[in-house]
Amino acid sequence: MPRFMTLIRIDEQAATGFESDPDFEKRMGALFEEITKAGVMLETAGLTPTSQGTRLSWNGGRIGCTDGPFTETKEVVGGYAILQCKDKAEALEWTRRFLTVHPDGWTVEAEVRQIDEAAQPPQA
């Protein structure tokens, strides 16, 4: 079965002011339990703020290094999930359900992309 990576994008500046409703953690826990029991969730995690990150770049034959925070970026990847689904439609449905668990006042975006299994390095 194909694997999909879901990248969760947030406005890091606005996220500091988010207040969750009292049932948010309960709803998220129930969804994670369901998706895990279904054998779909392979891995998920939130990421630390960009202030704790470093970006590396390759340009003109040289490595560049920039420490966070990355103020020029409005939306950042705040977390990810790796799902194993029968097809993209199923991955999108689980991701829709993940998004709707969030409080109405939040802005959260998810990018769903299939993992290119053919591009994987050979196993030693």
Side-chain angles (χ1 to χ4, degrees), residues 64-87:
C65 182
T66 305
D67 289 330
F70 310 121
T71 56
E72 71 279 1
T73 305
K74 180 176 173 152
E75 291 182 345
V76 298
V77 176
Y80 72 94
I82 298 178
L83 310 176
Q84 188 165 30
C85 301
K86 64 182 180 203
D87 55 26

Side-chain angles (χ1 to χ4, degrees), residues 6-68:
T6 302
L7 301 170
I8 307 303
R9 298 187 188 279
I10 60 169
D11 179 341
E12 192 172 55
Q13 302 305 316
T16 59
F18 284 162
E19 289 188 32
S20 64
D21 63 66
D23 293 327
F24 173 62
E25 295 294 329
K26 188 185 303 181
R27 291 191 314 268
M28 189 63 75
L31 177 64
F32 279 8
E33 182 176 336
E34 182 182 355
I35 195 170
T36 301
K37 282 182 180 177
V40 171
M41 179 71 73
L42 300 180
E43 183 177 339
T44 189
L47 301 175
T48 59
T50 61
S51 61
Q52 298 175 28
T54 301
R55 285 186 179 166
L56 299 175
S57 60
W58 177 252
N59 187 1
R62 296 187 180 203
I63 291 282
C65 182
T66 305
D67 289 330

